[in-house]
Amino acid sequence: MTTFIAIYITLLGLTLGSFLNVVGLRIPAGESLLHPPSKCPKCRARLKTMDLIPVLSYLLARGKCRHCGTRVSPVYPFGEAITGVLFLVMYLKFGLTFEGVTGMLLVCLSVAITVSDIRYMLIPDKVLLFLHHSSCFWFLLWQMPHYGITCLVL
């Protein structure tokens, strides 16, 4: 059973890594995360579902756009792969515990920040604010069972 969960966690990490690439590239550029759909930066051809499979699509297309043959940046599959691997590491180290989920959240934020920093040399405030708010939420969630309502007052 643990093997299936590990595979699922890794696939979840790969998929979220793909989304985090979008976050890291679009938020600093002031673009929407949902629209327009992913496209080739050179020929602007909309990517099909088979072009969006994390890491595998990049390998099958040999790192090139299927439409125009332009090289695709290796940042995309690297971000996806590192997220999948780090999710697996968090699961193997901590399991599906509070610490494991916290580690996975920090992996997500780190990947989005790294992609943005590589491309624009900029860390978006929206990502940092999300980190701040989620940290406060996790702290309260973690401390409530230990200290009860007093942690809200302090």
Side-chain angles (χ1 to χ4, degrees):
M1 184 64 163
T2 302
T3 304
F4 291 115
I5 294 173
I7 291 169
Y8 176 78
I9 293 291
T10 304
L11 292 174
L12 177 66
L14 289 169
T15 305
L16 284 175
S18 182
F19 176 71
L20 294 169
N21 278 324
V22 172
V23 171
L25 294 172
R26 290 190 182 185
I27 285 185
E31 299 175 14
S32 169
L33 295 177
L34 303 176
H35 189 76
S38 297
K39 60 190 177 302
C40 171
K42 173 103 177 180
C43 70
R44 301 276 192 226
R46 183 176 175 184
L47 300 180
K48 306 273 190 247
T49 304
M50 62 185 272
D51 299 322
L52 298 172
I53 301 169
V55 181
L56 186 62
S57 295
Y58 183 85
L59 295 175
L60 291 175
R62 294 189 177 104
K64 296 180 181 178
C65 171
R66 286 188 316 113
H67 303 286
C68 68
T70 303
R71 300 248 353 125
V72 176
S73 172
V75 169
Y76 294 105
F78 182 73
E80 295 164 353
I82 200 73
T83 306
V85 168
L86 290 175
F87 264 48
L88 179 62
V89 168
M90 290 298 117
Y91 171 69
L92 294 176
K93 175 83 173 153
F94 300 108
L96 289 176
T97 63
F98 184 80
E99 290 85 1
V101 174
T102 302
M104 290 176 199
L105 177 64
L106 290 173
V107 165
C108 288
L109 292 168
S110 298
V111 169
I113 287 170
T114 302
V115 168
S116 174
D117 194 30
I118 288 171
R119 176 68 181 261
Y120 300 106
M121 295 185 74
L122 176 72
I123 300 173
D125 289 340
K126 288 181 181 180
V127 175
L128 294 177
L129 285 172
F130 178 77
L131 174 62
H132 174 263
H133 295 322
S134 60
S135 297
C136 290
F137 173 75
W138 281 124
F139 175 77
L140 289 175
L141 191 64
W142 178 250
Q143 294 302 322
M144 287 282 245
H146 300 294
Y147 299 108
I149 198 73
T150 57
C151 73
L152 294 175
V153 177
L154 299 175

